[in-house]
Amino acid sequence: MTAPAARRSAADGGPHHPPPGWSPNSWRVRPIAQQPGWPDPRRLREVLEDLALLPPLVLPGEIEDLRHTLARVAEGRAFLLQAGDCAERFASCTESGVRGRLRVILQLAILLTYGSGLPVVKVGRIAGQFGKPRSSPTEVVDGVELPAFRGDNVNDPAPTPQARTPDAERLRMAYHHASATLNVLRALTKEGFADLNRVHAWNQEFVRRSPAGQQYEAAAADIAWALRFMAACGADTARMQAVRQVQLYTSHEALLPAFEQALTRRAEAAGAWYGTSAHMLWVGDRTRDVDGAHVEYLSGLGNPIGVKVGPSLTPADLRVLCDRLDPDHIPGRLVLISRLGADRITDLLPPLVREVAATGRPVVWSCDPMHGNTFRSASGYKTRRLADIIREIDGFFAVCGAEGAFPGGIHLELTGDNVTECLGGAEEILDTHLSRRYETACDPRLNAGQSIELAFHIADLLRRHRAS
Ligand code: PEP
Ligand code: CO
């Protein structure tokens, strides 16, 4: 999984070096948003000191591999699929839990590859996506005001003052749960489970009967046939690494710089610094202040950095943010993730794309069609309509096409389970169905059938974009 930095071509640039004055803790003097009120600062310090002594979760060589792969996305030669839970739970760190989440990512990736003819870079919101920014620091439950749930790495969602009190020990648990998740992921992606010869086995029984599942079965049969064709031509597909293994990278929102700092390591050979809690880190829409702590921290790392681009970000501010995070225009360094909402994307995205294009910077444009389309349904559930999600993606492809930019990626909140959290789809999930299996710890996720349906739609858009 690691690759020595030395074998990379100079043409891809990088690695990114920190700006003058940066250090892993230089964020501490900046204003910071969305932090828990830790009740015991001494305990917090001890946990962070312990974490700083533990091994990195991912290695600099892997991180550089991802950056080089994203450089190909920026050139239009590959497509980025970034997907997973809104908020990962410690309790879902089980073998079957991890297997289920990997399975749906593999299904989507193969459909996108099959439909578009492009390699798909797979990045999970996984193995560390524990922390959540909140619109309000407190919520009222049964008349009692409680601190909001900020993710398993901070507090517990149970509606009691004790459960909601931030506990620094949870940061240690976050490290160990991420480590255990990565361990299973590394095993499953290297042996057996991810083998393309098992493409049918990724379709779970409950999905198989659905319209999307049946469409998947037909695509899987074609892929199996193509593999037999290759074997008949003499290719030993049972042994080919490209058929038997996949590379899954990890990512999460770098919401807690104190935690990230404890896992920041310097790679002596490259002379660069890396956040080693995940391959890719992103800055959320609520914490992307160019003078704030989060951007300061991320500005020094060599990792690919995602930036959530919400409706309040002006083209001029986006330019300043890009200059700050990527002064050297390093290919694969920046992934700009638009989350503008289905109604506004066609108005708001064009000037943003133009502004970045004017800098000549080779960024990846990716579309998060989830976070701009959340609302509370009549029955009181936080939800999203698959139709809005599709409309935002359509808008994204249309704008990129018109502006001459490559629609490079998609950022989804999904699960391989049969949940009822988002409305619509071939199975026509209605507001009255949401209570059946509404299990998310934060935002509503697409279920397996809705995700597969969406993958067919995106593959189609990609194919058409490439043909135009
Ligand atoms: C998220 O990705 O879960 C999230 C909170 O997104 P945003 O920062 O775009 O609102
Ligand atoms: Co979310």
Side-chain angles (χ1 to χ4, degrees), residues 86 125 132 371 384 413 443:
C86 177
R125 287 175 63 114
K132 294 314 301 172
H371 289 89
R384 294 159 173 159
E413 288 184 343
D443 289 338

Side-chain angles (χ1 to χ4, degrees), residues 93-133:
C93 175
T94 60
E95 189 199 334
S96 68
V98 177
R99 205 181 268 275
R101 287 183 284 160
L102 174 62
R103 179 190 283 132
V104 69
I105 292 175
L106 293 177
Q107 277 187 291
L108 263 56
I110 196 64
L111 290 177
L112 290 169
T113 307
Y114 173 73
S116 71
L118 281 173
V120 171
V121 186
K122 294 163 275 294
V123 179
R125 287 175 63 114
I126 199 165
Q129 175 47 27
F130 298 119
K132 294 314 301 172

Side-chain angles (χ1 to χ4, degrees), residues 86 125 129 132-133 253 282 284-286 308 339 368 371 411 413 443:
C86 177
R125 287 175 63 114
Q129 175 47 27
K132 294 314 301 172
E253 178 175 350
W282 78 84
D285 197 45
R286 294 167 185 80
K308 289 292 198 88
R339 34 89 81 223
D368 166 356
H371 289 89
H411 184 115
E413 288 184 343
D443 289 338

Side-chain angles (χ1 to χ4, degrees), residues 397-411:
F397 272 80
V399 170
C400 288
E403 297 298 327
F406 178 60
I410 188 83
H411 184 115

